[in-house]
Amino acid sequence: MKKHLLILLVGLSSMAFSQDSLRVMYHNILNFPSAGSNRIDTLRTILTYAKPDVYVVCELETEAGGDMILNEALNVNGQTNYQRVAFVDGGTFTNNLLFYNADKLGFISQEEIGTVLRDINTYVLYYKAPNLTAQSDTIYLNFFACHLKAGSSDYQQRNTEIQQAKFYMNSIANQIENVFIGGDMNVYSGFESAILTMKNTGSVPLFDPIDVAANWSGDWNYADIHTQSTRTGGLQGGAGGGMDDRFDLIFVSEDVLDSDNGVKYINNSYQALGQDGNHFNDNINDGFNSAAPDSVINALYYASDHLPVIMDVVLDETANIKKEKVDFPGVYYNVLEHAINFSKLGGEPYKLKLFDLSGQLVLEYEGSSGSINLPAIPAGIYLVKMRYKGEFTTSKLSVF
């Protein structure tokens, strides 16, 4: 894991070995709830079966719709462990939102990347490792939620939207780790410029976990990865035509594939939920579908014109911690003075914001001082966002 602070760490050799897993799921839920709020029962069936730890949706219209999903599709059957991030209305009536399993994950922050069409939303979560303390570090995960421009002739706009996401990643490339970017990409080919931009540009290259570079659209050879449409005819305003496009994808950063920062993709876990490869240009529930129980396949048909995509990862809190030299001043906690101190600051001006792990702003400072007195805050891990010499960095600070 990249380190940008001098923080007190528990020696790796003394940490108890621990692994956990996460299921990540992205889903276009088709103009929810206006296209039919009664579809909440189909979402409940799907989510009870899939059991995602991170559930990212697009085409969510209202905050009330988000609360309906949280309270009537996730926190059901005695479960109370799911939470959601703040709903941000981008003014397009088709918004993104992330839900997460709070038994395993905690929320740090969220931001919006504006595009000419819809916001790309970013969310930072952290892993609640079993032996997490104020003196230990943990695993951080960055999720990006996209709903790119639809239309076979609109590939240039899709590329522009992904470029804006990559520009954002470049601006924080010295600290970003464990990236998941997904949603309804509306791409027709693995050779579209938006896909090539994701894979080949910037400081954070991204990868397709199943590594399929092909012209997916309308080709039965790729039927097992198609995600749209679940129906041959129009239903609730959704698209028809049957299963023949791979519009919904999840791409990840390289560290997710090679476990550099404590997250490791589980091989062969990536899938379009409910896709058995035998329903090309058909309804997903025509005849027999071996990919899931009948109740789930029927729920997928009625819930949306898109199948969700899922992938599983293993979390390893004993993963090697990388240390990298950065140009930003070292930031550390001075326990004697209860202050933030800097190394190699050189009197240069800076702006600093300190957030707790719930995303609440604790401190804001602008100046050039080499020491900042902290308010009375509890021990724990904090997030430091700093602007220095015209650039931004985000770091982690342990207060004890």
Side-chain angles (χ1 to χ4, degrees), residues 190-263:
F191 305 113
E192 260 202 34
S193 51
I195 297 296
L196 298 179
T197 294
M198 277 204 291
K199 294 169 67 173
N200 301 323
T201 68
S203 304
V204 186
L206 299 165
F207 299 85
D208 179 0
I210 57 176
D211 194 22
V212 180
N215 294 313
W216 312 306
S217 180
D219 191 335
W220 67 269
N221 289 295
Y222 301 100
D224 59 339
I225 61 173
H226 288 157
T227 64
Q228 198 265 0
S229 169
T230 59
R231 308 94 173 252
T232 57
L235 182 66
Q236 299 158 328
M243 301 301 307
D244 58 4
D245 281 302
R246 187 193 185 195
F247 284 165
D248 307 86
L249 304 94
I250 307 173
F251 272 58
V252 298
S253 52
E254 189 172 16
D255 50 357
V256 175
L257 300 180
D258 59 22
S259 193
D260 269 358
N261 290 312
V263 175

Side-chain angles (χ1 to χ4, degrees), residues 361-375:
L361 180 65
V362 175
L363 173 71
E364 188 170 5
Y365 181 85
E366 181 175 351
S368 58
S369 172
S371 181
I372 305 174
N373 292 327
L374 291 174

Side-chain angles (χ1 to χ4, degrees), residues 84-113:
R84 66 168 177 86
V85 302
F87 175 81
V88 177
D89 189 345
T92 63
F93 303 105
T94 57
N95 303 288
N96 305 314
L97 193 63
L98 180 144
F99 306 83
Y100 62 96
N101 178 355
D103 285 346
K104 295 182 180 181
L105 298 165
F107 170 74
I108 295 179
S109 63
Q110 64 186 94
E111 294 186 57
E112 296 76 49
I113 304 169

Side-chain angles (χ1 to χ4, degrees), residues 244-357:
D244 58 4
D245 281 302
R246 187 193 185 195
F247 284 165
D248 307 86
L249 304 94
I250 307 173
F251 272 58
V252 298
S253 52
E254 189 172 16
D255 50 357
V256 175
L257 300 180
D258 59 22
S259 193
D260 269 358
N261 290 312
V263 175
K264 172 65 175 175
Y265 167 62
I266 298 176
N267 289 337
N268 302 316
S269 67
Y270 185 105
Q271 61 178 293
L273 184 65
Q275 180 56 272
D276 66 352
N278 296 317
H279 287 78
F280 179 69
N281 279 340
D282 284 337
N283 298 310
I284 195 65
N285 61 350
D286 276 355
F288 176 67
N289 187 323
S290 61
D294 289 348
S295 60
V296 175
I297 298 299
N298 286 327
L300 290 166
Y301 173 86
Y302 286 105
S304 172
D305 53 347
H306 292 253
L307 293 177
V309 283
I310 63 174
M311 62 179 291
D312 298 333
V313 298
V314 171
L315 300 173
D316 183 0
E317 63 172 304
T318 67
N320 290 332
I321 294 179
K322 294 182 176 181
K323 295 185 181 294
E324 297 185 4
K325 183 179 179 180
V326 297
D327 294 329
F328 281 82
V331 185
Y332 61 97
Y333 173 57
N334 184 328
V335 65
L336 297 178
E337 298 179 3
H338 191 56
I340 297 175
N341 282 13
F342 299 86
S343 62
K344 301 179 181 179
L345 183 61
E348 294 281 350
Y350 61 88
K351 294 181 181 180
L352 179 144
K353 291 183 179 181
L354 185 71
F355 298 86
D356 65 21
L357 290 184

Side-chain angles (χ1 to χ4, degrees), residues 9-18 131 135-136 316-321:
L9 296 174
V10 177
L12 290 177
S13 60
S14 65
M15 291 174 65
F17 180 79
S18 175
N131 54 358
Q135 288 76 41
S136 64
D316 183 0
E317 63 172 304
T318 67
N320 290 332
I321 294 179

